[in-house]
Amino acid sequence: MPVEFLSGKHAVITGGSRGIGAATARALAAAGARVTLMGRDQEALKKVSSAIANSEIAICDVTDAASVTRAFEAAHKRAPISILVNNAGIAASAPFLKTDDEMLERMFATNVMSAFRCTRAALPDMLAGGWGRVINIASIAGLKGARYISAYIASKHAMVGMTRALAAETAGKNITVNAVCPGYVDTEMTERTVANIVSRTNLSEKDAFAEIAKGNASGKLIAPEEVAGTVAFLCRADADSINGQAIAIGDIG
């Protein structure tokens, strides 16, 4: 397959200003795609975009329906959308009995409702074009349970469920919908998790990172580029028959 196997395709990536989103933007652009990075931080988006050829940015708060509509209308005007990576997300932890409605609603607003809205905005272009990829960045937490993150786990299980439902609905239309489910990735989100552990325990930052890394089968943090590489693979023509899957990274099941 040629290096630029995504030439002529337009990819939209939410949460594109850092971490997995930025790495994914670089990977898809390297494969020839036109890329639109979405997020709330304009300066951070500009910084990432400035280093990626054939890329644009669109300011978007994925928790706000009107903002999503505006951002996707702007992206569509540049070119019909053929790839959507729902990467924007947040995490928070608390014991179940201290998980209040606000935390639960915040998890679902950012991790689930945003993916619904963005997919509804992008899917018509894919249907009209007869080709599409929707890739949801979920989490290993969308495949199993863990202590103290019930709200986060509920939201990521919902994201995986949405992936499977839409995959069934679009099967046979040359559109695939998959979820990528990484363990702990070397991103700012993990750094915040470590800071939270340090603030609540007697662990040093180094020891807290080591404890987090133990959650991955390899005993080390996953590089954002590893997740981006999986996203890029799912966009290939020889991944046409991979649909409705939740692909774990960093876990052996």
Side-chain angles (χ1 to χ4, degrees):
M1 180 170 289
V3 174
E4 294 194 348
F5 60 90
L6 293 180
S7 179
K9 306 296 186 185
H10 180 196
V12 170
I13 302 158
T14 67
S17 64
R18 54 183 57 84
I20 293 171
T24 298
R26 290 190 291 268
L28 298 188
R34 181 173 191 168
V35 173
T36 296
L37 299 94
M38 291 188 180
R40 294 179 297 177
D41 189 335
Q42 184 174 22
E43 292 308 310
L45 288 171
K46 285 182 177 179
K47 183 177 180 181
V48 174
S49 180
S50 68
I52 299 175
N54 204 17
S55 69
E56 299 94 2
I57 69 170
I59 305 305
C60 181
D61 178 351
V62 294
T63 67
D64 181 86
S67 180
V68 169
T69 297
R70 288 192 299 270
F72 276 82
E73 285 177 350
H76 170 79
K77 287 179 181 178
R78 293 166 185 155
I81 299 164
S82 44
I83 299 167
L84 171 64
V85 182
N86 284 309
N87 170 68
I90 58 172
S93 63
F96 185 85
L97 292 179
K98 293 185 179 180
T99 300
D100 57 19
D101 287 358
E102 188 278 332
M103 178 184 287
L104 186 63
E105 290 166 2
R106 184 158 44 90
M107 290 298 107
F108 270 75
T110 307
N111 296 346
V112 185
M113 288 301 298
S114 68
F116 263 93
R117 290 191 184 106
C118 293
T119 305
R120 281 201 309 249
L123 190 59
D125 277 355
M126 300 180 193
L127 291 168
W131 189 93
R133 296 286 191 267
V134 178
I135 300 166
N136 296 318
I137 307 301
S139 167
I140 201 68
L143 302 176
K144 61 184 182 180
R147 297 179 298 169
Y148 308 131
I149 52 173
S150 55
Y152 179 71
I153 281 180
S155 71
K156 291 301 186 178
H157 271 71
M159 197 178 203
V160 170
M162 180 191 73
T163 298
R164 290 170 172 158
L166 185 57
E169 190 168 328
T170 59
K173 298 178 180 177
N174 210 23
I175 297 170
T176 64
V177 188
N178 291 288
V180 177
C181 302
Y184 287 104
V185 183
D186 189 6
T187 63
E188 290 181 15
M189 182 182 289
T190 298
E191 290 175 3
R192 289 192 293 271
T193 300
V194 166
N196 186 46
I197 292 171
V198 170
S199 70
R200 295 185 179 187
T201 69
N202 293 321
L203 290 176
S204 67
E205 183 176 292
K206 180 180 178 180
D207 289 341
F209 265 111
E211 285 298 312
I212 287 289
K214 286 179 183 178
N216 295 334
S218 65
K220 64 181 181 180
L221 295 180
I222 301 160
E225 289 74 18
E226 295 179 77
V227 183
T230 304
V231 173
F233 167 73
L234 290 170
C235 293
R236 292 169 59 105
D238 50 6
D240 278 350
S241 295
I242 301 175
N243 194 24
Q245 301 304 303
I247 301 170
I249 301 178
D251 188 81
I252 56 175

